[in-house]
Amino acid sequence: MSENGALPHRGRVLTVDTMNPNVKKVDYAVRGPIVQRALQIEKELKEGVKKPFEEVIKANIGDAHAMGQRPITFFRQVMALCSYPQLLDDNKFPEDAKNRARRILQSCGGNSIGAYTTSQGIDCVRHDVAKYIQRRDGGIPSDPDNIYLTTGASDGIVTILKLLTTGEGRTRTGVMISIPQYPLYSASIAELGAVQVNYYLNEEKCWSLDISELQRSLQAAREHCNPRVLCIINPGNPTGQVQSRQCIEDVIRFAAKENLFLMADEVYQDNVYAEGCEFHSFKKVLFEMGPEYSRKIELVSFHSTSKCYMGECGFRGGYMEVINMDQEVKAQLSKLVSVRLCPPVPGQALMDLVVNCPQPGEPSYQTFMKERTAVLSALAEKAKLTEEILNTVPGISCNPVQGAMYSFPRITLPQRAINEAKAKGQAPDMFYCMKLLEDTGICLVPGSGFGQRDGTYHFRMTILPPTDKLKIMLHKLKEFHQTFTQQFA
């Protein structure tokens, strides 16, 4: 204290200059400046500000229910029963929904989803996940002890990256990610102080993955870091490609040869639309390649309640399965997840319903299958519609949307627009997307937020809006691009 008893003046402990420098490097384009401006415009519309449009159409994020997709009845019935068990006496609920709810509640402390669970997740849910994986993969065994329930897939991905990140300077962990990529990866790598190692998908071949490009990327990275991890998103986000079985085999051989840890983000595994495309899990292919690979490769695969036909993003449910993880490391993983106590219990319960859905002969089966089929059929229709309409626009080219929930079209921009964007300190596709938002109310994410080859420009657009709204949006986008091109010609 000073002589007069007053506390001496001190500067703030936490400032931009004294904060963790890695956090400042984090960028998450899906909720970046475009989205912030979209929220402002929505507020302005509510306040009566006149715009050349009546609503903002948010096609920036894969949030199915926010875009109008209806929840699956069975899921919400069981969640209602779990949240308010007195409803178990209500005859409006089918018996299979009640049975699922009772089983989940009996596995919770005090028969309540308000109680903590074990850090790895509810035991019966992990067993159900293991059975689901075994069915999906044609009988290849899955051990419940290798299943970790997570707060969405994102939580699991970040947790595994934490385990893998080590070293300084040239020994720092390098994490190989596809470009274009989902910004969770670049943001997490930056936050953890690892090194982002880019490998480019081949746009000319429908965003396919070339092993020669993986090799080029790896060799270049070894000059400045220690690449240890290879991340794959299949089906792809933001590019919507579905990897062939041959491609997955090639990736596994590459990982074995180069001694890389594999992370397989498979949250869109039910979202496959294009004829001739099929989802193959990395685990299934790995084990079918024989013990030479299945006993050696370290693999973690991820799934979620947020995508596919469920779209239950807000429940934050997910799981990861670890394969061939060192037992001492596994103990460290268990310790790490215990720090957060447990994943959200409603999310765990919902994950159980995804992997233990109604079966033939159960009262809810027909309604469940009807709703599931309707969602996936509508997405397939919208995937085709998006590709067809965008490819009618001079200056826009869109690969087939084989899977997932997004298109990632390439746009040709006039040089004057590129120059004006650079004068404003903006990426040209950010300039384009911001003007699109201001003129039409359509909120997309610029390709620069996902990464792209130098000199190319893209945007990511979800295919989630209802079909009638999607058609309106695509035609408005077509008109905007033509006007934009003329304006900056």
Side-chain angles (χ1 to χ4, degrees):
M1 282 193 174
S2 61
E3 288 182 13
N4 62 8
L7 288 171
H9 176 72
R10 299 176 186 273
R12 292 186 186 276
V13 173
L14 182 62
T15 68
V16 171
D17 293 327
T18 62
M19 69 181 285
N20 181 342
N22 288 335
V23 173
K24 290 189 279 188
K25 298 174 187 174
V26 172
D27 187 24
Y28 191 66
V30 174
R31 296 198 176 193
I34 293 269
V35 183
Q36 299 308 312
R37 178 58 187 143
L39 293 172
Q40 288 176 352
I41 291 174
E42 281 188 321
K43 187 177 179 184
E44 290 169 11
L45 286 169
K46 286 178 183 175
E47 291 169 351
V49 177
K50 294 298 179 186
K51 302 280 183 185
F53 48 86
E54 294 180 353
E55 67 170 332
V56 173
I57 302 176
K58 292 179 187 167
N60 61 295
I61 194 166
D63 191 348
H65 292 184
M67 298 305 294
Q69 181 178 309
R70 297 186 66 180
I72 299 294
T73 301
F74 180 76
F75 292 167
R76 288 304 180 89
Q77 285 176 330
V78 179
M79 296 310 297
L81 291 162
C82 287
S83 299
Y84 191 59
Q86 287 89 331
L87 292 173
L88 287 164
D89 297 325
D90 192 321
N91 59 15
K92 294 187 182 72
F93 290 84
E95 202 57 38
D96 52 350
K98 290 181 179 181
N99 289 338
R100 298 294 199 289
R102 289 189 188 103
R103 182 167 177 266
I104 292 166
L105 289 170
Q106 286 164 6
S107 301
C108 295
N111 291 327
S112 170
I113 59 169
Y116 288 131
T117 70
T118 61
S119 299
Q120 198 168 340
I122 298 172
D123 187 63
C124 76
V125 178
R126 290 190 294 110
H127 276 79
D128 286 347
V129 170
K131 289 174 188 173
Y132 161 81
I133 292 171
Q134 190 163 323
R135 286 195 308 272
R136 182 199 67 187
D137 292 345
I140 294 166
S142 177
D143 184 350
D145 193 47
N146 291 335
I147 306 297
Y148 291 76
L149 302 182
T150 57
T151 308
S154 304
D155 172 51
I157 290 165
V158 173
T159 299
I160 296 300
L161 287 175
K162 281 182 183 176
L163 290 175
L164 285 156
T165 300
T166 185
E168 296 179 359
R170 289 187 62 171
T171 68
R172 274 197 306 164
T173 294
V175 182
M176 301 182 69
I177 62 172
S178 61
I179 298 294
Q181 56 102 22
Y182 176 48
L184 165 71
Y185 290 90
S186 57
S188 302
I189 291 165
E191 182 183 353
L192 295 170
V195 178
Q196 179 175 322
V197 177
N198 296 338
Y199 65 88
Y200 289 91
L201 301 177
N202 190 332
E203 184 171 9
E204 283 65 40
K205 294 183 179 178
C206 205
W207 299 112
S208 63
L209 193 164
D210 295 333
I211 298 301
S212 59
E213 171 58 14
L214 285 180
Q215 194 68 60
R216 178 209 64 76
S217 170
L218 183 74
Q219 287 173 343
R222 281 179 172 157
E223 298 296 316
H224 63 273
C225 70
N226 177 24
R228 305 175 69 205
V229 195
L230 174 56
C231 300
I232 307 287
I233 308 175
N234 179 50
N237 176 10
T239 41
Q241 84 285 2
V242 178
Q243 290 187 353
S244 67
R245 183 192 169 91
Q246 183 62 53
C247 177
I248 294 171
E249 287 185 10
D250 291 344
V251 168
I252 290 170
R253 290 190 186 95
F254 175 80
K257 179 170 74 78
E258 301 295 348
N259 198 30
L260 296 171
F261 190 106
L262 268 177
M263 294 175 62
D265 181 339
E266 298 176 334
V267 303
Y268 298 99
Q269 57 190 257
D270 289 322
N271 298 115
V272 177
Y273 318 119
E275 193 173 335
C277 288
E278 183 182 351
F279 170 75
H280 302 277
S281 79
F282 263 77
K283 183 189 175 185
K284 182 175 190 286
V285 175
L286 174 66
F287 277 79
E288 288 179 348
M289 289 173 70
E292 176 187 357
Y293 297 98
S294 63
R295 291 178 183 169
K296 176 182 178 182
I297 291 287
E298 295 157 90
L299 167 70
V300 182
S301 56
F302 307 89
H303 196 18
S304 166
T305 63
S306 300
K307 309 302 177 184
C308 298
Y309 63 93
M310 301 86 72
E312 294 280 12
C313 306
F315 277 99
R316 310 308 300 132
Y319 73 74
M320 58 183 177
E321 182 183 29
V322 302
I323 304 296
N324 293 326
M325 181 172 277
D326 179 274
Q327 287 303 310
E328 291 183 15
V329 174
K330 206 170 166 190
Q332 295 295 318
L333 171 58
S334 296
K335 178 184 73 176
L336 190 58
V337 299
S338 72
V339 172
R340 296 188 187 180
L341 297 176
C342 68
V345 183
Q348 295 186 50
L350 185 62
M351 190 78 252
D352 187 65
L353 304 179
V354 172
V355 299
N356 185 23
C357 57
Q359 298 301 304
E362 290 189 305
S364 302
Y365 178 74
Q366 286 188 336
T367 299
F368 171 79
M369 288 303 297
K370 182 180 177 182
E371 291 176 347
R372 181 186 189 277
T373 302
V375 170
L376 294 174
S377 297
L379 285 169
E381 178 191 343
K382 290 186 282 190
K384 189 69 176 170
L385 182 73
T386 299
E387 175 201 346
E388 288 175 349
I389 293 178
L390 288 177
N391 281 326
T392 66
V393 186
I396 298 183
S397 61
C398 181
N399 273 316
V401 182
Q402 296 176 330
M405 298 177 169
Y406 317 97
S407 62
F408 197 70
R410 185 167 175 171
I411 50 176
T412 302
L413 300 179
Q415 190 60 47
R416 269 189 62 209
I418 294 170
N419 294 343
E420 186 163 332
K422 289 179 178 176
K424 291 186 172 187
Q426 290 183 338
D429 45 18
M430 170 66 86
F431 175 77
Y432 176 93
C433 287
M434 193 63 84
K435 186 160 177 54
L436 173 71
L437 175 62
E438 298 287 355
D439 291 1
T440 69
I442 297 172
C443 181
L444 307 179
V445 190
S448 49
F450 300 89
Q452 55 198 350
R453 286 192 182 275
D454 288 345
T456 68
Y457 307 108
H458 301 78
F459 58 76
R460 190 189 79 162
M461 184 189 85
T462 73
I463 61 169
L464 290 172
T467 303
D468 55 347
K469 188 173 284 191
L470 180 65
K471 287 178 180 177
I472 293 168
M473 186 177 83
L474 288 168
H475 286 295
K476 286 175 78 171
L477 180 55
K478 180 177 181 176
E479 290 172 3
F480 169 82
H481 187 82
Q482 291 167 338
T483 303
F484 182 92
T485 301
Q486 290 167 3
Q487 181 182 349
F488 290 98

